[in-house]
Amino acid sequence: MPKLNQINAVVSARKNEAEKAVTELHKVSQKEQLFVGRERMYRPLDELNGQKLPPESQRVQQRVDDLIRQAREKWTELWNLVLTQDTGNQSARADIVVDGKVVLANVPVTSLLFLDKQVNDLETFVSKLPTPDPAEEWNHDPSTGLLRSKVSESLRTSKEPTVIVKYAATKEHPAQTELFTKDVPVGTWTQILYSGSISADRKNAILARVRKLQDAIKAAKEQANLLEVERQKAGEPLLDFVFGG
């Protein structure tokens, strides 16, 4: 008996082949002139002196029975394969095992196919989650549930005008001065940063588990597809009913 993965490998190709072949047969069936033939004999009324003309004939180029036979062959092969595949999918199951532990038991292969795609989306989702600025040191704040930085302090300054004397006054000349501003400390900012993002360590740990799960689902899918399946017949009874046995 074939294995389910062997049936899966050919179903898609057979679907395309059958669709293409039946479409061509349908096009042929619409060309009525191909199904028409004739033979024509001429006999003059005056058989002694009348004009003699050669017989004419047109061969029938296509037979409906031949089209039906060819279509039935394609449909029978495809319908049998799909029924065999679907019957196998009903029975094919495997456990999802991570690090030797069964995470989910007896999962149908159709669900494994679904989960395989879903966990890929899960990896994308987790990999794009924001993480806090690595330049800061962060800790979990139980009172807010957020990440909390260490306290930092910075000076607040104010610009104040200041006059400097460049040249002192003399009897002949007044003093030369210049006005400029300088930053004068006036206070201290105390700052704590908060972040609702996920810590880089936690994100990396989750991603590692997601990737283990990805590998486990792929392994389970391959295991389920090793099921031996009995070939099923759908085409023969259904097409016999339609066209007669």
Side-chain angles (χ1 to χ4, degrees):
M1 291 191 294
K3 290 181 169 56
L4 182 56
N5 58 4
Q6 295 172 313
I7 299 296
N8 292 338
V10 299
V11 165
S12 181
R14 294 296 182 270
K15 282 182 179 178
N16 292 334
E17 289 175 11
E19 181 179 357
K20 183 177 179 180
V22 173
T23 298
E24 290 302 315
L25 292 171
H26 172 69
K27 289 178 181 178
V28 171
S29 73
Q30 304 308 298
K31 299 176 181 179
E32 295 185 7
Q33 70 275 15
L34 298 179
F35 299 85
V36 175
R38 68 175 180 173
E39 288 185 352
R40 195 163 71 153
M41 308 287 291
Y42 179 76
R43 187 178 68 187
L45 295 177
D46 184 346
E47 295 189 3
L48 292 176
N49 300 311
Q51 183 182 11
K52 303 291 192 295
L53 296 176
E56 296 177 356
S57 65
Q58 177 181 318
R59 184 174 63 86
V60 172
Q61 298 178 60
Q62 293 287 348
R63 298 171 181 263
V64 168
D65 284 343
D66 289 339
L67 299 186
I68 291 175
R69 176 183 55 76
Q70 294 174 61
R72 284 188 63 163
E73 288 175 356
K74 291 298 181 182
W75 278 325
T76 297
E77 180 186 23
L78 176 60
W79 295 4
N80 289 352
L81 278 172
V82 171
L83 181 58
T84 301
Q85 181 186 49
D86 289 345
T87 301
N89 284 340
Q90 290 176 344
S91 303
R93 295 170 177 268
D95 297 341
I96 299 176
V97 181
V98 180
D99 293 336
K101 180 182 178 181
V102 176
V103 178
L104 194 61
N106 205 30
V107 184
V109 69
T110 47
S111 296
L112 291 170
L113 292 169
F114 169 76
L115 290 171
D116 190 24
K117 295 178 181 178
Q118 290 292 300
V119 175
N120 287 339
D121 293 341
L122 174 59
E123 181 190 24
T124 301
F125 175 79
V126 173
S127 66
K128 299 297 182 182
L129 292 176
T131 54
D133 183 357
E136 298 287 342
E137 183 177 337
W138 300 91
N139 291 291
H140 178 70
D141 181 3
S143 64
T144 63
L146 301 172
L147 294 176
R148 184 177 186 272
S149 74
K150 286 188 171 182
V151 177
S152 64
E153 291 187 351
S154 60
L155 287 175
R156 179 177 180 274
T157 60
S158 177
K159 294 188 181 295
E160 295 185 0
T162 302
V163 176
I164 62 170
V165 178
K166 299 177 70 175
Y167 301 103
T170 65
K171 292 181 179 181
E172 294 81 14
H173 301 286
Q176 292 187 24
T177 61
E178 181 179 346
L179 179 66
F180 73 100
T181 59
K182 67 177 181 179
D183 292 329
V184 177
V186 295
T188 303
W189 281 110
T190 300
Q191 176 174 272
I192 300 174
L193 299 177
Y194 293 90
S195 175
S197 58
I198 185 173
S199 70
D201 289 345
R202 185 180 172 210
K203 177 178 175 178
N204 290 335
I206 292 173
L207 274 176
R209 291 194 294 271
V210 168
R211 286 161 185 160
K212 281 187 177 183
L213 183 58
Q214 283 178 315
D215 292 342
I217 289 173
K218 285 180 172 57
K221 186 175 63 175
E222 293 304 315
Q223 180 62 39
N225 279 320
L226 292 176
L227 174 75
E228 290 187 342
V229 291
E230 184 176 349
R231 290 191 180 274
Q232 304 294 314
K233 291 187 177 181
E236 291 87 342
L238 296 178
L239 293 171
D240 282 350
F241 170 76
V242 174
F243 295 110

